[in-house]
Amino acid sequence: SALESLGGTPGSIVKLDESASRESILDSIELLADSLQESVNTVFVLMMVGHGNADSSTWRFNVTGPDLTTEDLVAALNAVPAARQLIVLATSASGATLDTLEQPGRVVVTATKSGGEINAVRFPEYLAEAMSSTVADYDRNEILTIAEAFRFAATRTGEFYDQQKLLASEHSRLRGDDAGD
């Protein structure tokens, strides 16, 4: 809903639900990539919320059928002509993708710091809260940046574990060019 509030052309936002498959995700990225004009003003945003896991070779986004892997994402994102990309992987074990996905012009947000943080994550809940209200607009300029939304969600995630007197099992990360903007 927050992305839709930005406007844009019809069809520029694709929503997939829990029935999404590896193929439907990759097809959606390809379809959007084909519709984008290569320009310094073009921004591509991919947000994935769900469960992930990692092994010694790759991170996987768990879907019906074969899982989507880090390698699948790299190949799909390399075909996107947008000069700027924002990739949000709000899943368990998503930190395993950081080194592989990071590249010039791309900001990567993960719910965890490594592939070893495998428990269900709270981070997406707080990120959604940040994006759907003005609570995270720290400088009160009515422009919410990913850095502000990330800071809010990371802080609230930490507070959750403190309030529950639990050892935090997730440590979100924000990386990339202009990640702090």
Side-chain angles (χ1 to χ4, degrees):
S1 296
L3 291 174
E4 287 175 339
S5 73
L6 297 174
T9 58
S12 64
I13 297 175
V14 176
K15 294 181 197 177
L16 301 175
D17 60 20
E18 63 276 353
S19 66
S21 66
R22 174 183 175 273
E23 291 76 23
S24 66
I25 295 168
L26 293 173
D27 289 347
S28 295
I29 294 171
E30 181 180 359
L31 181 67
L32 286 172
D34 290 345
S35 71
L36 292 175
Q37 300 295 320
E38 190 165 351
S39 163
V40 294
N41 297 323
T42 302
V43 178
F44 176 83
V45 178
L46 175 65
M47 300 189 84
M48 300 179 78
V49 178
H51 190 73
N53 61 41
D55 58 25
S56 61
S57 63
T58 192
W59 166 83
R60 299 179 194 292
F61 183 64
N62 302 141
V63 294
T64 303
D67 291 337
L68 183 76
T69 66
T70 305
E71 293 75 19
D72 293 331
L73 268 183
V74 168
L77 294 172
N78 285 344
V80 175
R84 299 181 320 174
Q85 296 180 2
L86 170 61
I87 311 304
V88 179
L89 301 179
T91 73
S92 48
S94 54
T97 66
L98 281 168
D99 292 336
T100 306
L101 289 180
E102 190 175 7
Q103 74 171 32
R106 183 181 294 156
V107 173
V108 180
V109 175
T110 61
T112 69
K113 69 178 177 181
S114 72
E117 294 184 329
I118 58 172
N119 295 327
V121 291
R122 302 264 176 199
F123 178 79
E125 167 185 350
Y126 300 119
L127 187 63
E129 181 182 348
M131 294 176 66
S132 63
S133 69
T134 60
V135 296
D137 184 11
Y138 290 112
D139 59 11
R140 300 292 178 222
N141 66 353
E142 298 182 12
I143 299 170
L144 181 67
T145 66
I146 190 59
E148 288 174 319
F150 173 84
R151 187 175 347 138
F152 175 85
T155 299
R156 291 291 307 272
T157 301
E159 289 170 352
F160 167 81
Y161 287 100
D162 288 345
Q163 290 168 357
Q164 298 299 313
K165 298 189 182 347
L166 296 170
L167 183 62
S169 60
E170 62 186 286
H171 302 86
S172 52
R173 294 292 184 256
L174 170 67
R175 280 204 199 159
D177 294 343
D178 304 320
D181 294 343

